Coordinates of all heavy atoms in Angstrom, one line a residue:
D1287 N -1.2 14.9 -2.8 CA -0.8 13.7 -1.9 C 0.6 13.8 -1.5 O 1.0 13.0 -0.6 CB -1.0 12.4 -2.7 CG -2.5 12.1 -3.0 OD1 -3.4 12.6 -2.3 OD2 -2.8 11.4 -4.0
Y1288 N 1.4 14.6 -2.1 CA 2.8 14.6 -1.9 C 3.3 15.9 -1.1 O 4.4 16.4 -1.4 CB 3.6 14.5 -3.2 CG 3.5 13.0 -3.7 CD1 2.7 12.7 -4.8 CD2 4.2 12.0 -3.0 CE1 2.7 11.3 -5.1 CE2 4.1 10.7 -3.3 CZ 3.3 10.4 -4.4 OH 3.2 9.1 -4.8
R1289 N 2.5 16.3 -0.2 CA 3.0 17.4 0.8 C 2.7 16.8 2.2 O 1.6 16.5 2.5 CB 2.2 18.6 0.5 CG 2.3 19.2 -0.8 CD 3.4 20.1 -1.1 NE 3.8 21.1 -0.2 CZ 5.0 21.6 -0.1 NH1 6.0 21.2 -0.9 NH2 5.3 22.5 0.7
V1290 N 3.8 16.7 3.0 CA 3.6 16.2 4.3 C 4.4 17.2 5.2 O 5.5 17.5 5.0 CB 4.2 14.8 4.5 CG1 4.2 14.4 5.9 CG2 3.5 13.8 3.6
L1291 N 3.7 17.7 6.2 CA 4.3 18.6 7.2 C 4.9 19.8 6.5 O 6.0 20.3 6.8 CB 5.3 17.9 8.1 CG 4.7 16.7 8.9 CD1 5.9 16.0 9.6 CD2 3.7 17.2 9.8
G1292 N 4.3 20.3 5.4 CA 4.8 21.4 4.7 C 6.0 21.1 3.8 O 6.6 22.0 3.2
K1293 N 6.4 19.9 3.6 CA 7.6 19.5 2.8 C 7.1 18.7 1.6 O 6.1 18.0 1.7 CB 8.5 18.7 3.7 CG 9.1 19.4 4.9 CD 10.0 18.5 5.7 CE 10.5 19.3 6.9 NZ 11.5 18.5 7.7
S1294 N 7.9 18.7 0.6 CA 7.6 17.9 -0.6 C 8.0 16.5 -0.2 O 8.9 16.2 0.5 CB 8.5 18.3 -1.8 OG 8.1 19.6 -2.2
V1295 N 7.3 15.5 -0.8 CA 7.5 14.1 -0.5 C 8.3 13.5 -1.7 O 8.0 13.8 -2.8 CB 6.1 13.4 -0.4 CG1 6.3 11.9 -0.3 CG2 5.4 13.9 0.8
L1296 N 9.3 12.8 -1.3 CA 10.2 12.2 -2.3 C 9.5 11.0 -3.0 O 9.7 10.8 -4.2 CB 11.5 11.7 -1.6 CG 12.5 11.0 -2.5 CD1 13.1 12.0 -3.5 CD2 13.6 10.4 -1.7
G1297 N 8.8 10.3 -2.2 CA 8.1 9.1 -2.8 C 7.2 8.4 -1.8 O 6.9 8.9 -0.8
T1298 N 6.9 7.1 -2.1 CA 6.0 6.3 -1.3 C 6.8 5.1 -0.8 O 7.5 4.5 -1.5 CB 4.8 5.9 -2.1 OG1 4.1 7.1 -2.4 CG2 3.9 4.9 -1.3
L1299 N 6.6 4.8 0.5 CA 7.1 3.5 1.1 C 5.8 2.7 1.4 O 5.1 3.1 2.3 CB 7.9 3.8 2.3 CG 8.4 2.6 3.1 CD1 9.3 1.7 2.3 CD2 9.1 3.1 4.4
L1300 N 5.6 1.7 0.7 CA 4.4 0.8 0.9 C 4.8 -0.3 1.8 O 5.8 -1.0 1.5 CB 3.9 0.3 -0.5 CG 2.7 -0.6 -0.5 CD1 1.9 -0.3 -1.8 CD2 3.0 -2.0 -0.3
I1301 N 4.1 -0.5 2.9 CA 4.4 -1.5 3.8 C 3.2 -2.4 3.9 O 2.1 -2.0 4.2 CB 4.8 -1.0 5.2 CG1 6.0 -0.1 5.2 CG2 5.0 -2.2 6.2 CD1 6.2 0.7 6.4
Q1302 N 3.4 -3.7 3.6 CA 2.3 -4.6 3.6 C 2.4 -5.4 4.9 O 3.5 -6.0 5.2 CB 2.3 -5.6 2.4 CG 1.3 -6.6 2.5 CD 1.4 -7.6 1.4 OE1 1.0 -7.2 0.2 NE2 2.0 -8.7 1.6
M1303 N 1.4 -5.4 5.7 CA 1.4 -6.2 7.0 C 1.2 -7.7 6.6 O 0.8 -8.0 5.5 CB 0.2 -5.7 7.8 CG 0.2 -4.2 8.1 SD 1.8 -3.6 8.9 CE 1.3 -3.9 10.6
P1304 N 1.5 -8.6 7.6 CA 1.3 -10.0 7.3 C -0.2 -10.2 6.8 O -1.1 -9.8 7.4 CB 1.5 -10.6 8.7 CG 2.5 -9.7 9.4 CD 2.0 -8.3 8.9
S1305 N -0.3 -10.9 5.7 CA -1.5 -11.1 5.0 C -1.5 -12.4 4.2 O -0.4 -12.9 3.8 CB -1.8 -9.9 3.9 OG -1.8 -8.7 4.6
K1306 N -2.7 -13.0 4.0 CA -2.8 -14.2 3.3 C -3.6 -14.0 2.0 O -4.8 -13.7 2.1 CB -3.4 -15.3 4.2 CG -3.3 -16.7 3.6 CD -3.7 -17.7 4.7 CE -3.7 -19.1 4.1 NZ -2.4 -19.7 4.3
F1307 N -2.9 -14.1 0.9 CA -3.6 -13.8 -0.4 C -2.8 -14.4 -1.6 O -1.6 -14.8 -1.4 CB -3.6 -12.3 -0.6 CG -2.3 -11.6 -0.8 CD1 -1.7 -11.4 -2.0 CD2 -1.5 -11.3 0.4 CE1 -0.4 -10.8 -2.1 CE2 -0.3 -10.7 0.2 CZ 0.3 -10.5 -1.0
T1308 N -3.4 -14.4 -2.7 CA -2.7 -14.7 -4.0 C -3.1 -13.6 -5.0 O -4.2 -13.0 -4.9 CB -3.1 -16.1 -4.6 OG1 -4.5 -16.1 -4.8 CG2 -2.7 -17.2 -3.6
G1309 N -2.2 -13.4 -6.0 CA -2.5 -12.4 -7.0 C -2.0 -11.0 -6.4 O -1.2 -10.9 -5.5
G1310 N -2.6 -10.0 -7.0 CA -2.4 -8.6 -6.5 C -0.9 -8.1 -6.6 O -0.5 -7.3 -5.8
E1311 N -0.3 -8.5 -7.7 CA 1.1 -8.0 -7.9 C 1.1 -6.5 -8.1 O 0.2 -5.9 -8.7 CB 1.7 -8.7 -9.2 CG 2.0 -10.1 -9.0 CD 0.7 -11.0 -9.3 OE1 -0.3 -10.5 -9.7 OE2 0.8 -12.2 -9.0
L1312 N 2.2 -5.9 -7.6 CA 2.4 -4.4 -7.7 C 3.4 -4.2 -8.8 O 4.4 -4.8 -8.9 CB 3.0 -3.9 -6.4 CG 3.5 -2.4 -6.4 CD1 2.3 -1.4 -6.6 CD2 4.3 -2.1 -5.2
T1313 N 3.0 -3.3 -9.8 CA 3.9 -2.9 -10.8 C 4.1 -1.4 -10.7 O 3.2 -0.6 -10.6 CB 3.3 -3.2 -12.2 OG1 3.1 -4.7 -12.3 CG2 4.3 -2.9 -13.3
I1314 N 5.4 -1.0 -10.7 CA 5.8 0.4 -10.7 C 6.4 0.7 -12.0 O 7.2 0.0 -12.5 CB 6.8 0.6 -9.5 CG1 6.2 0.2 -8.2 CG2 7.3 2.0 -9.5 CD1 7.1 0.2 -7.0
Y1315 N 6.0 1.9 -12.6 CA 6.4 2.3 -13.9 C 7.3 3.6 -13.7 O 6.8 4.5 -13.1 CB 5.2 2.6 -14.8 CG 4.3 1.4 -15.0 CD1 3.2 1.2 -14.2 CD2 4.6 0.5 -16.0 CE1 2.4 0.1 -14.4 CE2 3.7 -0.6 -16.2 CZ 2.7 -0.8 -15.4 OH 1.8 -1.8 -15.6
N1316 N 8.5 3.5 -14.3 CA 9.3 4.7 -14.3 C 9.5 5.1 -15.7 O 10.1 4.4 -16.5 CB 10.7 4.3 -13.7 CG 11.7 5.5 -13.7 OD1 11.3 6.6 -13.9 ND2 12.9 5.2 -13.4
S1317 N 8.9 6.3 -16.1 CA 9.0 6.7 -17.5 C 9.6 8.1 -17.5 O 8.9 9.1 -17.7 CB 7.6 6.7 -18.1 OG 6.7 7.4 -17.3

Side-chain angles (χ1 to χ4, degrees):
D1287 294 333
Y1288 285 109
R1289 301 277 314 156
V1290 175
L1291 302 176
K1293 299 179 179 182
S1294 293
V1295 174
L1296 177 69
T1298 295
L1299 174 61
L1300 182 148
I1301 302 171
Q1302 178 184 280
M1303 305 303 272
S1305 301
K1306 192 167 180 88
F1307 65 94
T1308 60
E1311 292 81 11
L1312 169 69
T1313 303
I1314 298 169
Y1315 300 93
N1316 180 13
S1317 53

